[in-house]
């Protein structure tokens, strides 16, 4: 199967000045994606077991005769724990992707305060990114039905992306707007921003913007997982952005009456 797309460029009088089209073999792309999904499903499960035992042994090492340990060993143990934490986040993200693919991203929900969600995330973010100025704006007293851990995962993902894709401007705004029917939480940064074409695709799994001038590491699955979590809360996720000016990623949840 092939997909056909055309692009037109207009002058100020809305006359077409250039036009081109592309043909893509969708079937091949689909097969490649299915192979990736299958590999991730197997690899993430295989990685989980040794990682859990590694975590356990590191906890034992960290707790062992603390008073007798030379400071340098304590420092190494701290660094190893940090790296294990990052690895655990990666493996958990991969596991989430495979759960989503199998339709098994299940979680309990309860009544929660958006202000609690924001406070928890701000506290973690300020600790993780001390060089950034993260400020809170708007009314924070919305109540929604949801899963606190999963929503924390969404908000932390948006904040860490704001940090990652705004290496120069260090201001990040978290804005809450509450109406009678919904609560909207936005994360605004003043970083590299996105073009209209890029915006369309960033919630797809494995999609990363190809930018030779600005390279960061990542798997291209954070926004995909976030969008699936928000959808599972009957919510909406989206972005407004301008290239080189910054981005505002937001999610909207139905309010609990
Ligand atoms: P990752 O960051 O691991 O690549 P994500 O799924 O979180 O994966 O994001 C997908 C892509 O969306 C990123 O590669 C990046 O190009 C773009 N992106 C995400 N957040 C921002 C942001 N705040 N500003 C600019 N681009 C962003």
């Amino acid at each position: 199967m092939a997909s056909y797309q055309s692009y037109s460029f207009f002058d100020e009088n809305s006359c077409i000045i250039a036009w081109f089209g592309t043909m893509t073999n969708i079937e091949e792309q689909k097969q490649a994606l299915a192979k990736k999904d299958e590999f991730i499903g197997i690899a993430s499960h295989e990685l989980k077991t040794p990682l859990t035992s590694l975590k356990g042994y590191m906890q034992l090492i960290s707790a062992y005769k603390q008073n007798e340990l030379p400071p340098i060993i304590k420092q190494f143990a701290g660094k190893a724990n940090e790296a294990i934490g990052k690895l655990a986040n990666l493996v958990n993200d991969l596991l989430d992707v495979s759960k989503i693919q199998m339709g098994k991203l299940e979680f309990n929900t309860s009544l929660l305060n958006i202000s609690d969600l924001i406070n928890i995330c701000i506290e973690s973010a300020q600790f993780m990114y001390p060089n950034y100025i993260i400020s809170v704006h708007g009314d924070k007293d919305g109540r929604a039905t949801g899963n606190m851990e999963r929503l924390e995962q969404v908000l932390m993902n948006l904040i860490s992306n704001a940090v990652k894709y705004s290496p120069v401007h260090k201001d990040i705004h978290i804005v809450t707007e509450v109406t009678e029917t919904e609560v909207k939480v936005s994360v605004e940064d003043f970083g590299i921003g996105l073009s209209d074409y890029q915006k369309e695709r960033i919630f797809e799994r494995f999609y990363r913007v190809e930018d030779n001038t600005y390279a960061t590491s990542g798997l291209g699955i954070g926004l995909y997982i976030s969008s699936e979590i928000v959808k599972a809360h009957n919510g909406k996720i989206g972005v407004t952005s301008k290239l080189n000016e910054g981005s505002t990623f937001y999610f909207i949840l139905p309010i609990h009456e």
Side-chain angles (χ1 to χ4, degrees), residues 1-199:
M1 196 200 293
S3 92
Y4 185 72
Q5 279 186 308
S6 68
Y7 303 87
S8 307
F9 295 91
F10 301 91
D11 66 12
E12 64 273 17
N13 302 317
S14 304
C15 295
I16 292 180
I17 46 173
W19 180 93
F20 67 92
T22 59
M23 286 266 264
T24 321
N25 190 328
I26 288 185
E27 208 45 55
E28 267 174 29
Q29 282 180 2
K30 267 191 183 164
Q31 279 173 13
L33 200 58
K35 277 192 187 147
K36 240 182 196 176
D37 284 337
E38 190 187 357
F39 175 75
I40 281 175
I42 297 165
S44 56
H45 281 96
E46 291 301 316
L47 287 167
K48 186 79 186 171
T49 314
L51 181 62
T52 307
S53 78
L54 193 57
K55 242 184 186 171
Y57 282 115
M58 269 319 291
Q59 270 164 9
L60 291 176
I61 291 172
S62 303
Y64 187 74
K65 293 189 181 166
Q66 276 297 299
N67 302 339
E68 294 170 30
L69 283 182
I72 191 76
I73 300 296
K74 283 188 198 165
Q75 198 186 326
F76 290 160
K79 296 258 181 226
N81 275 324
E82 231 173 76
I84 289 173
K86 283 185 187 158
L87 190 56
N89 285 342
L90 285 174
V91 172
N92 285 335
D93 276 357
L94 293 176
L95 278 169
D96 279 348
V97 170
S98 94
K99 278 186 204 159
I100 292 167
Q101 290 319 107
M102 291 188 296
K104 287 188 180 161
L105 189 77
E106 289 155 358
F107 46 78
N108 300 324
T109 59
S110 59
L111 181 60
L112 51 87
N113 265 323
I114 294 301
S115 59
D116 292 337
L117 171 70
I118 293 184
N119 290 339
I120 293 169
C121 291
I122 291 275
E123 205 176 304
S124 308
Q126 276 168 344
F127 177 74
M128 288 164 72
Y129 312 112
N131 299 334
Y132 281 76
I133 303 153
I134 305 167
S135 55
V136 183
H137 307 261
D139 25 50
K140 292 202 298 167
D141 55 356
R143 281 145 78 85
T145 306
N147 180 285
M148 192 58 120
E149 283 78 34
R150 286 296 183 183
L151 292 174
E152 269 173 53
Q153 189 180 349
V154 173
L155 187 51
M156 285 309 292
N157 177 233
L158 300 187
I159 297 173
S160 52
N161 275 351
V163 168
K164 194 158 135 187
Y165 298 103
S166 185
V168 180
H169 295 95
K170 311 264 182 205
D171 277 312
I172 293 171
H173 299 167
I174 316 272
V175 185
T176 321
E177 293 156 80
V178 183
T179 67
E180 276 180 13
T181 52
E182 53 192 31
V183 52
K184 179 177 182 185
V185 180
S186 309
V187 178
E188 183 181 18
D189 69 59
F190 304 90
I192 63 170
L194 291 156
S195 69
D196 287 343
Y197 172 70
Q198 292 161 349
K199 265 189 287 191

Side-chain angles (χ1 to χ4, degrees), residues 199-212:
K199 265 189 287 191
E200 275 175 27
R201 299 202 52 199
I202 47 171
F203 294 101
E204 290 173 19
R205 67 188 182 282
F206 311 124
Y207 179 79
R208 305 198 71 221
V209 172
E210 278 171 37
D211 182 350
N212 296 332

